[in-house]
Amino acid sequence: MSSGCSVPSAFNFCLSCDIDIPVSVKLEGLQGCLPVLRPGGAADGFFSESVAVFVVAELISGDERIGLTAFSNYADCSLGGAIWKNPWLTFCVKYRDLGPDSRLAFSLWQVVISGSWSLVGGCTLPLFNRRGQLHTGLQRLHIWEGLGPCVQTPTTTPGRIPKPTTSEVERLESLLARFDVDSSSSSPWMNALAFQTLARFQAEDAEKWVGRHELRLNVFLPIFKYPVLYHRFPYSAPTSDGVGGGG
């Protein structure tokens, strides 16, 4: 995806106010077993196709929703999770219009064979870290079962839960994502070896989540050529002669 950062190559970062494209997020998949499919659950014993899930995503700034709510399509769910066929969700808000506390709120919903639908859980994901840098790449988010996303600050439903160490698969995914943006940093033979290793790690990781009584929503945030730092042009109120209001 094009970064939209019109800065000289001598700089190693760009500003959020320069990115004139809509905010978007890709649903990479759901991992883990839904409560309804676990032993004793309402759909226990039915075929996996009897349960479907969908995601509702909102952009939040302060305590208010900004822009329109985004809805995913339905995805059939199994003991190992779900994969969406049309995974991209795009908002009407552009990166340049985001506030420093902007965050994504995700709600996971399920539809069972009877046709009834209910909330599975939710989580939130800040778009900028504490240093004001835009989060990019794959994000593995914990779903808080039985709870909708808490949009207050601090949130009680954080998607990113601190871990003592970063797994090999996460480190390799981050490295390859950066190579994909800057193709000059990679070579064909190294890419082939790295992707083979990544595929093996991902298969092993996915196997661990089959039937697991925990849910993880994997989402992908667009990667830009340079790190993106939050910045917003100051707004000056228009004067009586009509001058001002720039930004």
Side-chain angles (χ1 to χ4, degrees), residues 107-147:
S107 300
L108 178 67
W109 295 79
Q110 66 184 9
V111 182
V112 297
I113 193 171
S114 63
S116 62
W117 50 279
S118 59
L119 175 70
V120 176
C123 66
T124 58
L125 172 66
L127 288 175
F128 296 93
N129 64 20
R130 294 181 180 179
R131 300 186 302 274
Q133 183 174 334
L134 184 70
H135 285 302
T136 59
L138 186 64
Q139 311 290 319
R140 301 179 184 275
L141 308 178
H142 175 76
I143 293 293
W144 295 81
E145 294 181 21
L147 299 175

Side-chain angles (χ1 to χ4, degrees), residues 184-199:
S184 62
S185 303
S186 59
S187 60
W189 69 267
M190 184 170 62
N191 276 349
L193 179 61
F195 278 111
Q196 289 177 4
T197 304
L198 177 60

Side-chain angles (χ1 to χ4, degrees), residues 22-207:
V23 176
S24 60
V25 58
K26 181 182 180 182
L27 302 177
E28 290 285 352
L30 176 70
Q31 291 181 298
C33 183
L34 287 174
V36 72
L37 290 175
R38 296 170 190 170
D44 182 25
F46 288 101
F47 294 109
S48 61
E49 288 79 4
S50 64
V51 181
V53 292
F54 66 95
V55 170
V56 178
E58 296 178 307
L59 266 175
I60 307 294
S61 184
D63 293 330
E64 301 292 334
R65 183 185 72 192
I66 55 176
L68 301 176
T69 301
F71 296 85
S72 77
N73 61 337
Y74 291 95
D76 293 332
C77 204
S78 68
L79 296 179
I83 298 293
W84 281 269
K85 295 181 179 179
N86 299 303
W88 281 102
L89 302 178
T90 302
F91 299 88
C92 60
V93 178
K94 296 183 177 182
Y95 286 93
R96 68 181 186 185
D97 299 319
L98 293 175
D101 65 343
S102 296
R103 53 206 181 276
L104 288 166
F106 296 99
S107 300
L108 178 67
W109 295 79
Q110 66 184 9
V111 182
V112 297
I113 193 171
S114 63
S116 62
W117 50 279
S118 59
L119 175 70
V120 176
C123 66
T124 58
L125 172 66
L127 288 175
F128 296 93
N129 64 20
R130 294 181 180 179
R131 300 186 302 274
Q133 183 174 334
L134 184 70
H135 285 302
T136 59
L138 186 64
Q139 311 290 319
R140 301 179 184 275
L141 308 178
H142 175 76
I143 293 293
W144 295 81
E145 294 181 21
L147 299 175
C150 172
V151 299
Q152 297 178 346
T153 304
T155 181
T156 58
T157 58
R160 292 164 59 100
I161 299 179
K163 297 183 298 183
T165 59
T166 302
S167 67
E168 289 295 331
V169 65
E170 290 173 315
R171 281 196 288 265
L172 193 54
E173 284 170 341
S174 177
L175 179 63
L176 290 181
R178 182 55 56 191
F179 278 153
D180 186 51
V181 173
D182 185 8
S183 58
S184 62
S185 303
S186 59
S187 60
W189 69 267
M190 184 170 62
N191 276 349
L193 179 61
F195 278 111
Q196 289 177 4
T197 304
L198 177 60
R200 177 168 57 85
F201 284 159
Q202 288 177 328
E204 293 173 354
D205 180 69
E207 185 65 27

